[in-house]
Amino acid sequence: MEPFVYQIFHLYGGCVRLLDEHIERLDAASRMLFNRPYRPDRKALEQRLLAEAERQRYTADYSSFVRVELFDTGEEICYGVGQSYYAGYAVRSVRPKVITLAYEMPLLEEGTVASLAAAKVARARAQAEGADDALRVDHTGRVRSMGEATLYGIREGFLIAPSNPVSATDTLVRKAADRLRLRTVLHPILQTELHLYDELFAVDYRGITSISHCNNCPLMTLRVERLAEAMNAVVSVQ
């Protein structure tokens, strides 16, 4: 399989959300892995994404998702990866049970063919142990993500966020927290401190996935609904 980097774009209401942020992530990954900048015509890319959604017959009344894969040759393809039951960023109805699993993301945080495979293997390992998914723990004991979705926590009334944005939605989550006057603290989520958290949730292109249990310990879901609403509100005024 040829190496590629990718981003999944969120479309809703005839618009592509966080278009510039996704382009930036593709450009950064392409420069790092392929030594090749990614500088698409912004309007042309937007039209290709909307055209693919139309080809797939995705309705604009609900969110849909289109993946762009960028290869080391500079070739780029895009294709639909699904229609949502939700309109905009949402709290997904499924609340997974997770376990912690030590594994490193190959090469870099941005989506690659290798990171897709790593997340798939980790999920299979978690399911073999009776969980739904795995939280990725690195060699320092930091809990990084659920699959490829960035992990956040709420503890003592604060939103605990990773120090550096690792996805197009990370900045959006922090702006949403500001809108709710929920103070964001940049601090690693440590495996040894997971029992101290009230809520753990993962954020990706779809919205928020609230975790129900981590290593068999129950977690609450108190603020995620308002946070998802604030994410939509932030995007609507951009």
Side-chain angles (χ1 to χ4, degrees):
M1 181 178 292
E2 293 184 58
F4 64 80
V5 296
Y6 76 92
Q7 289 285 288
I8 300 178
F9 293 73
H10 185 138
L11 284 62
Y12 172 58
C15 298
V16 180
R17 294 187 158 188
L18 305 181
L19 178 63
D20 293 328
E21 289 84 349
H22 282 294
I23 291 173
E24 289 175 8
R25 303 311 296 185
L26 281 170
D27 179 56
S30 181
R31 288 173 185 271
M32 183 174 291
L33 286 182
F34 307 145
N35 196 29
R36 178 192 294 273
Y38 179 65
R39 295 172 179 162
D41 180 290
R42 183 184 186 280
K43 190 65 177 177
L45 176 60
E46 182 179 38
Q47 290 304 313
R48 287 201 303 276
L49 293 166
L50 293 171
E52 173 61 15
E54 184 176 355
R55 187 182 74 83
Q56 296 285 352
R57 298 185 179 179
Y58 297 152
T59 173
D61 295 333
Y62 295 94
S63 293
S64 58
F65 313 111
V66 177
R67 186 158 92 183
V68 170
E69 294 179 358
L70 181 63
F71 294 83
D72 58 349
T73 59
E75 179 188 3
E76 171 195 313
I77 62 172
C78 68
Y79 55 92
V81 292
Q83 174 92 59
S84 175
Y85 294 109
Y86 306 106
Y89 297 109
V91 180
R92 301 175 67 222
S93 59
V94 175
R95 296 190 65 215
K97 296 180 180 179
V98 302
I99 60 171
T100 51
L101 190 63
Y103 73 100
E104 301 285 349
M105 195 68 86
L107 296 179
L108 76 169
E109 295 289 338
E110 279 79 2
T112 66
V113 61
S115 64
L116 274 175
K120 185 175 181 179
V121 170
R123 186 174 299 113
R125 168 82 175 276
Q127 290 172 350
E129 296 189 25
D132 300 305
D133 213 330
L135 298 186
R136 176 170 64 96
V137 182
D138 70 14
H139 68 282
T140 70
R142 295 186 179 193
V143 189
R144 296 286 188 174
S145 63
M146 184 178 75
E148 294 183 288
T150 308
L151 185 71
Y152 289 84
I154 293 179
R155 174 179 169 182
E156 299 175 358
F158 298 102
L159 175 68
I160 310 300
S163 298
N164 298 311
V166 295
S167 77
T169 50
D170 281 337
T171 301
L172 178 60
V173 173
R174 298 170 200 206
K175 289 180 179 178
D178 288 343
R179 189 181 184 92
L180 296 176
R181 294 186 173 87
L182 176 62
R183 182 181 170 188
T184 299
V185 176
L186 303 182
H187 184 76
I189 297 176
L190 301 177
Q191 185 176 20
T192 55
E193 297 179 350
L194 285 173
H195 65 284
L196 300 176
Y197 284 84
D198 301 315
E199 300 177 61
L200 290 171
F201 57 93
V203 179
D204 63 9
Y205 60 91
R206 298 167 296 185
I208 294 175
T209 302
S210 178
I211 294 169
S212 67
H213 292 75
C214 178
N215 294 336
N216 293 320
C217 293
L219 292 158
M220 294 186 288
T221 174
L222 298 174
R223 293 178 174 87
V224 290
E225 194 74 45
R226 292 183 62 210
L227 194 58
E229 291 172 358
M231 288 169 67
N232 287 303
V234 170
V235 169
S236 68
V237 299
Q238 289 182 341

